[in-house]
Amino acid sequence: MAGGALAAASLLSVAWPRLGSGGAGPGLRRRLAAARQQAQPQQPPSPTAEERCPPGAAQAGAGAPPGTAPTAPRTPSPGSAPSCSSPRPRMWCRRLACLLGLPCWRSGRAGHGSLGLPRGTRTVPAAAARCHHTAPESLSCVWQLHGDHLELRYANTLMRFDFVWLRDHCRSASCYNAKTNQRSLDTASVDLGIKPKAVRVDETTLFLTWPDGHVTRYGLEWLVKNSYEGQKQRVMHPRILWNAEIYRQAQVPSVDCRSFLETDEGLKEFLQNFLLYGIAFVENVTPTKEDTQILAERISLIRETIYGRMWYFTSDFSRGDTAYTKLALDRHTDTTYFQEPCGIQVFHCLKHEGTGGRTLLVDGFYAAEQVLRQAPDQFELLSKVPLKHEYVENVGDCHNHMIGVGPVLNVYPWNNELYLIRYNNYDRAVINTVPYDVVHRWYTAHRTLTAELRRPENELWVKLKPGKALFIDNWRVLHGREAFTGYRQLCGCYLTRDDVLNTARLLGLQA
């Protein structure tokens, strides 16, 4: 019996997860020694159903994903720590925990329902709550109340939820309209000092009872998906980063125009290609501006800008932009001088009688990824220094002065995922938003990114021909062109990004 107590005390001293603690200090060690001495002569009674191991000595299967069967107890190998899965050591674990003043980890039992909640694990008053496991067999969820938040571990994810957040996101009928998927609760009416009156967790659901008696229920899987910690691990937009060789080897197919326009399968294949690679082609399009417009409107509203809805240009310099010439264009993204650059760009070459004019495509995210690996401090600088981009036009009847502000690289702050590159050396305005010492570091970082963007192996060159329309993610893929001779007609437009992503989601794609 003494051996079981010593084994349990040993496990506690090694594995007890004191949240926010710096480890076992001298006082704790003295109490452990006293516990061992006190435990020697005692003959423990049979354990009750309420007695459980502390988490540091939990049975096999603790923390396993939902639906995973608990691992059967194994015979300890020589020299290994004693198992805590047998009743007597488990009882000693409980006794020592209480003796040392440590919080007791509890598991609910079937048959303890309260406050009109479904029967399952017991409801624990918040004032008395410490650390708890859910179902005694799987131990798949562990939670603990703190002064201002709930800490919960589930599916190998440790999550922390503010109490106001838990009240604000309640999905009950009085707080959330399931028909419109909109919040009904007035967030401003929630007490900022609110705390749950009682908490209960079963194998799939968290139940919170608030001071006014209102009960909030959350699926544990929903919490993992929507927690900050879960979002940090989640990619918002799955992508395949590429250089020229990677793209060619992928052999991404073009989609036939008729399939694109008439079938959801063709449209979905096109959008999947576009979301993954940032570019996609449609073949066998009638080479007219009108047919190109029909093509574009299949996936989005056309974004009307200072260039109109459908633009049509040659090298006549009818607008104050280098694109309306025969000169080569270096890689860039369009409309950096808009507060929100246009999301998608459509190109369709209607006619070219001459030479040259190939289109250059570069995956800006691939280049930025190389910068992140080689010089993360430079990547961070490019994502934080705001720059002005400017477009000034006074040609004929066209008079415009556009200014857009934003960093070169734009990332989601919670997971550092890149979602927009704003790169256009033609339209970048005077740098006057940061002090001189930051400016020089910015130039160094910009040079590193530019070197990656200009690597020949990152350049995909394609020849646009009548009947083949190209869609470009203007937030990701840079485009340019080589100089050309002869007569060349292009038409195209900008699409609203939100509408394209909306169409993709309705077809079941992650966008």
Side-chain angles (χ1 to χ4, degrees):
M1 227 37 83
L6 290 173
S10 175
L11 285 171
L12 278 169
S13 65
V14 173
W16 184 267
R18 294 293 300 273
L19 298 177
S21 169
L28 179 57
R29 287 195 291 270
R30 284 195 297 270
R31 286 191 288 166
L32 280 169
R36 292 189 184 100
Q37 184 175 3
Q38 180 180 341
Q40 289 285 349
Q42 295 184 359
Q43 188 75 12
S46 299
T48 66
E50 281 294 306
E51 292 168 332
R52 296 288 181 260
C53 292
Q59 297 100 314
T68 303
T71 306
R74 295 179 297 175
T75 302
S77 59
S80 64
S83 169
C84 193
S85 59
S86 61
R88 288 180 177 176
R90 183 165 62 240
M91 181 275 300
W92 281 111
C93 290
R94 172 70 179 274
R95 280 200 166 189
L96 285 171
C98 297
L99 184 64
L100 298 175
L102 299 174
C104 299
W105 292 67
R106 303 183 181 217
S107 299
R109 301 183 296 172
H112 289 272
S114 62
L115 299 173
L117 298 176
R119 298 172 70 84
T121 57
R122 71 161 53 191
T123 300
V124 182
R130 292 295 185 268
C131 299
H132 306 269
H133 278 117
T134 55
E137 297 301 324
S138 66
L139 300 178
S140 59
C141 176
V142 181
W143 58 273
Q144 182 178 21
L145 281 175
H146 294 269
D148 61 354
H149 70 280
L150 170 71
E151 187 172 275
L152 185 147
R153 182 185 293 276
Y154 180 75
N156 296 321
T157 303
L158 178 63
M159 301 165 281
R160 296 176 177 88
F161 298 100
D162 176 80
F163 290 146
V164 178
W165 187 98
L166 288 168
R167 184 63 187 89
D168 179 49
H169 290 82
C170 180
R171 278 350 193 209
S172 67
S174 62
C175 299
Y176 189 79
N177 190 326
K179 291 183 178 179
T180 65
N181 294 298
Q182 291 176 305
R183 179 181 286 101
S184 303
L185 174 69
D186 177 16
T187 304
S189 69
V190 178
D191 180 3
L192 294 178
I194 195 169
K195 294 182 180 180
K197 181 180 178 181
V199 179
R200 186 171 72 83
V201 181
D202 63 21
E203 284 114 334
T204 62
T205 310
L206 167 68
F207 301 87
L208 300 151
T209 303
W210 301 104
D212 62 357
H214 184 82
V215 177
T216 295
R217 298 169 175 82
Y218 289 112
L220 298 178
E221 293 290 347
W222 187 93
L223 288 173
V224 171
K225 179 181 178 181
N226 290 282
S227 67
Y228 169 73
E229 294 80 5
Q231 284 294 310
K232 281 180 66 176
Q233 303 172 34
R234 181 181 172 87
V235 175
M236 287 283 291
H237 309 288
R239 299 180 175 96
I240 296 176
L241 306 186
W242 52 268
N243 58 18
E245 184 61 25
I246 292 173
Y247 187 82
R248 292 192 188 98
Q249 289 185 358
Q251 297 182 334
V252 184
S254 299
V255 176
D256 180 74
C257 180
R258 186 169 183 177
S259 175
F260 175 87
L261 292 175
E262 299 178 3
T263 71
D264 285 346
E265 291 77 12
L267 179 61
K268 186 174 183 178
E269 180 185 5
F270 167 86
L271 286 170
Q272 183 69 84
N273 294 341
F274 179 82
L275 293 172
L276 289 178
Y277 295 96
I279 56 174
F281 295 89
V282 179
E283 299 267 17
N284 302 316
V285 183
T286 304
T288 67
K289 185 171 73 171
E290 293 72 23
D291 286 280
T292 307
Q293 178 175 338
I294 293 172
L295 198 73
E297 291 176 334
R298 170 72 163 131
I299 60 171
S300 169
L301 296 174
I302 293 175
R303 178 174 175 177
E304 187 164 3
T305 67
I306 57 175
Y307 304 106
R309 294 185 75 249
M310 291 293 299
W311 34 259
Y312 173 88
F313 67 86
T314 63
S315 53
D316 58 0
F317 202 69
S318 59
R319 302 296 299 264
D321 194 292
T322 313
Y324 290 78
T325 70
K326 296 182 179 181
L327 301 175
L329 287 175
D330 193 18
R331 61 226 72 202
H332 65 280
T333 58
D334 271 16
T335 61
T336 54
Y337 39 80
F338 287 4
Q339 287 288 30
E340 181 184 294
C342 293
I344 287 85
Q345 186 167 23
V346 182
F347 281 122
H348 188 190
C349 181
L350 306 180
K351 182 185 296 186
H352 184 198
E353 298 170 348
T355 61
R358 290 183 305 164
T359 296
L360 168 63
L361 300 170
V362 178
D363 186 353
F365 287 7
Y366 178 89
E369 177 71 15
Q370 308 313 308
V371 176
L372 179 60
R373 291 179 179 178
Q374 300 166 17
D377 56 330
Q378 295 183 8
F379 180 98
E380 183 179 13
L381 193 66
L382 291 171
S383 70
K384 289 186 175 180
V385 173
L387 298 176
K388 295 177 184 177
H389 290 77
E390 190 171 27
Y391 179 74
V392 180
E393 179 183 31
N394 288 293
V395 176
D397 295 330
C398 299
H399 305 282
N400 295 289
H401 188 175
M402 311 291 293
I403 297 178
V405 181
V408 174
L409 303 179
N410 297 258
V411 301
Y412 295 126
W414 60 87
N415 65 355
N416 210 37
E417 179 182 344
L418 182 62
Y419 69 88
L420 163 65
I421 181 170
R422 190 191 295 249
Y423 185 99
N424 191 315
N425 207 52
Y426 297 104
D427 297 324
R428 180 167 45 78
V430 176
I431 301 177
N432 53 18
T433 54
V434 288
Y436 80 97
D437 55 330
V438 179
V439 168
H440 193 81
R441 290 194 292 120
W442 182 88
Y443 276 119
T444 302
H446 182 268
R447 186 69 53 86
T448 302
L449 176 61
T450 300
E452 290 296 332
L453 291 170
R454 290 180 176 177
R455 287 186 184 278
E457 59 267 31
N458 294 339
E459 299 177 343
L460 178 67
W461 291 92
V462 296
K463 180 69 174 180
L464 297 182
K465 298 178 180 180
K468 187 172 184 177
L470 167 63
F471 290 69
I472 301 174
D473 184 346
N474 188 55
W475 283 21
R476 170 183 175 181
V477 176
L478 287 69
H479 65 278
R481 71 155 187 248
E482 65 179 354
F484 65 91
T485 65
Y487 183 72
R488 188 171 181 257
Q489 287 183 344
L490 262 78
C491 76
C493 61
Y494 296 117
L495 304 181
T496 58
R497 185 176 190 81
D498 288 336
D499 286 317
V500 174
L501 300 184
N502 175 56
T503 301
R505 295 186 192 109
L506 293 175
L507 290 172
L509 299 174
Q510 183 178 343

